[in-house]
Amino acid sequence: MKINKIEIVNFRNHNNCVLTPLPNLTIITGNNGVGKTSLLESIYYCGFGRSFRDRNELNLIKHDYNEFVIRCFIEDKDSKIHKMLVYVSKKERKFYVDDVLIKKISELNKYINILLFEPRMIDLFKSSSHQKRKDYLDLVLSKQSERYLKDLRDYKKLLANRNELLKQEIINKVLLQAYTKQMVDISYRIDVVRSIFFKKINTVLNDISREISNNNKRLEISYSSIVNIDDSYKKNLLKLYKDSSIEDIKSKTTNIGIHKEDYILNIDDKNIGLYGSQGENRLGVISFVLAPYFILKNDIEKPIILLDDVLSELDYLNQERLVNFVKRLNQVFITATNTMFKEYEYQIKGENKDE
């Protein structure tokens, strides 16, 4: 997939901005505050139905206006052009593709897939970012598999119901067991998808890292499911829940489960979040963000890559390596205050400080 053109109206500090991307790589430049990140944010919104910067979407509406509009023209792998229209006001929001109303945000997956790096992700593998890592993993996998998204939603609903039941004065043990059994069944499917994903990521992670950083340090994602993924998975997980039942009842919450799982990025067998430098963390996260692009099957639409302010902390040689790497991909957008790579530059201007 590729974006042929995107137009945003009354979005952030833009009254009316039209971006016609360059082939493969577009580096959006301009002074601080002119709305470079807002352009990436509008593309992201088309893919996820939300911002990566602000949970309150009403903050995306330009000051003194009542709504924003995004028009995005997307070319699929068969060269068919799809027109996406996003309308958000203080009262409603609607998504249309080819003049057909999109009823579920998950339906956007059919038309646009996105991989994002933004500066706050540098601490993704720090020990304090456990929830952020989980959210990122589920976001990426949900874009690749509707079944994963459904299983994840069902698991969260069951977990909420189980926790609510544990808060009761008198606990219905039969209902508790029923919730637990359903959670175990879903957990198995989710863990299988996660395990396969990380195995595939590890097959490409080092090649990406070496190309964009020119070092021979070995990167590897370390992930362990709550129990071994084998024929005894469900039996073993049920036992863990049983063993934890007294503690669950005492604490009135579910203390084990796939919602507690985590993963780390190792650099030469050491946790990069604990022992890696700021530069190593930055390049490690960038490599991890780019990796899913290379593990998708050829018949699946390749994602659009958004790299916000990715060059600012890299020296020129690493900037050059990264640009030379991503310019070979299907479509990449980078924001930068300025750039030495003028052939890929798309400059925007503005007066309002809103970024």
Side-chain angles (χ1 to χ4, degrees):
M1 66 183 66
K2 277 190 175 184
I3 292 175
N4 285 351
K5 183 172 72 172
I6 187 164
E7 177 182 0
I8 57 177
V9 180
N10 301 333
F11 186 91
R12 290 290 192 184
N13 59 330
H14 293 286
N15 285 110
N16 193 322
C17 180
V18 179
L19 170 63
T20 303
L22 301 170
N24 299 94
L25 174 60
T26 303
I27 303 180
I28 303 168
T29 65
N31 294 330
N32 290 330
V34 299
K36 302 183 299 295
T37 299
S38 298
L39 280 171
L40 298 196
E41 190 177 20
S42 68
I43 297 172
Y44 188 91
Y45 198 94
C46 289
F48 292 97
R50 63 182 179 87
S51 164
F52 63 83
R53 292 198 291 171
D54 201 322
R55 292 186 177 184
N56 185 356
E57 62 187 11
L58 296 184
N59 291 335
L60 308 181
I61 301 174
K62 184 175 173 60
H63 185 62
D64 290 335
Y65 288 84
N66 296 316
E67 72 279 317
F68 72 76
V69 174
I70 305 172
R71 298 183 185 91
C72 188
F73 297 84
I74 305 162
E75 181 179 348
D76 66 22
K77 60 184 175 64
D78 298 318
S79 300
K80 182 179 179 180
I81 306 297
H82 301 279
K83 178 184 176 182
M84 181 180 293
L85 174 65
V86 180
Y87 173 83
V88 176
S89 72
K90 296 178 180 179
K91 295 182 179 180
E92 62 179 348
R93 71 171 187 168
K94 292 183 178 180
F95 294 78
Y96 295 88
V97 176
D98 299 331
D99 299 321
V100 177
L101 180 66
I102 299 295
K103 297 181 180 180
K104 296 181 180 179
I105 294 298
S106 59
E107 294 180 41
L108 297 175
N109 293 351
K110 301 175 185 177
Y111 303 98
I112 186 167
N113 188 6
I114 290 166
L115 297 174
L116 167 76
F117 170 86
E118 53 108 355
R120 291 175 299 179
M121 293 180 69
I122 294 173
D123 67 352
L124 186 66
F125 293 102
K126 298 292 185 181
S127 58
S128 60
S129 298
H130 174 234
Q131 188 61 48
K132 184 187 292 188
R133 282 191 296 278
K134 289 198 307 176
D135 290 345
Y136 181 78
L137 172 64
D138 288 335
L139 192 66
V140 172
L141 291 178
S142 295
K143 291 294 284 185
Q144 296 183 18
S145 168
E146 287 190 30
R147 179 60 186 268
Y148 184 90
L149 177 59
K150 182 181 184 305
D151 280 341
L152 188 65
R153 287 173 173 170
D154 289 345
Y155 179 86
K156 289 180 177 180
K157 184 176 180 180
L158 286 165
L159 177 62
N161 290 340
R162 191 177 192 273
N163 286 339
E164 187 62 31
L165 185 61
L166 288 167
K167 292 179 174 64
Q168 304 302 313
E169 289 293 330
I170 300 176
I171 296 173
N172 185 329
K173 298 291 183 66
V174 174
L175 185 56
L176 183 66
Q177 186 175 8
Y179 284 150
T180 303
K181 175 63 169 59
Q182 292 177 70
M183 289 170 64
V184 167
D185 289 341
I186 294 174
S187 296
Y188 176 74
R189 294 196 295 270
I190 288 177
D191 259 343
V192 167
V193 173
R194 288 176 175 176
S195 179
I196 292 173
F197 174 76
F198 284 122
K199 285 178 181 177
K200 290 181 177 179
I201 290 294
N202 280 331
T203 66
V204 299
L205 197 57
N206 278 313
D207 290 338
I208 297 171
S209 174
R210 286 166 184 162
E211 280 208 54
I212 68 175
S213 63
N214 196 34
N215 70 52
N216 293 317
K217 292 186 177 181
R218 185 168 60 88
L219 291 181
E220 183 179 32
I221 293 289
S222 177
Y223 162 79
S224 297
S225 61
I226 186 169
V227 295
N228 290 334
I229 303 174
D230 54 27
D231 292 341
S232 300
Y233 178 98
K234 295 180 182 180
K235 177 183 176 181
N236 292 336
L237 184 51
L238 279 170
K239 185 178 185 303
L240 285 182
Y241 273 112
K242 182 179 179 180
D243 294 343
S244 180
S245 60
I246 295 177
E247 178 62 26
D248 287 354
I249 292 171
K250 182 179 178 181
S251 62
K252 300 183 183 300
T253 191
T254 303
N255 290 283
I256 67 164
I258 59 170
H259 58 287
K260 298 286 188 177
E261 290 179 344
D262 200 1
Y263 58 97
I264 62 174
L265 177 62
N266 291 317
I267 181 168
D268 284 347
D269 298 319
K270 293 183 178 180
N271 187 331
I272 198 171
L274 295 176
Y275 302 104
S277 67
Q278 187 80 345
E280 286 172 334
N281 269 275
R282 188 180 189 87
L283 289 166
V285 172
I286 294 170
S287 300
F288 178 61
V289 167
L290 293 173
Y293 181 95
F294 298 94
I295 66 174
L296 294 174
K297 295 178 181 178
N298 291 332
D299 59 342
I300 296 179
E301 296 277 11
K302 290 294 188 181
I304 295 165
I305 295 172
L306 310 179
L307 304 176
D308 185 32
D309 195 26
V310 73
L311 302 177
S312 62
E313 299 298 324
L314 302 178
D315 60 39
Y316 178 75
L317 287 177
N318 277 326
Q319 286 186 20
E320 186 175 40
R321 291 185 187 103
L322 179 60
V323 167
N324 286 335
F325 181 80
V326 300
K327 73 181 183 182
R328 308 196 303 263
L329 308 185
N330 191 52
Q331 187 169 49
V332 181
F333 295 87
I334 295 176
T335 62
T337 304
N338 53 67
T339 179
M340 299 293 292
F341 311 99
K342 299 300 182 182
E343 66 268 38
Y344 307 112
E345 184 176 11
Y346 191 105
Q347 191 174 57
I348 61 173
K349 299 179 180 180
E351 297 179 355
N352 298 323
K353 302 295 182 185
D354 190 36
E355 195 168 320

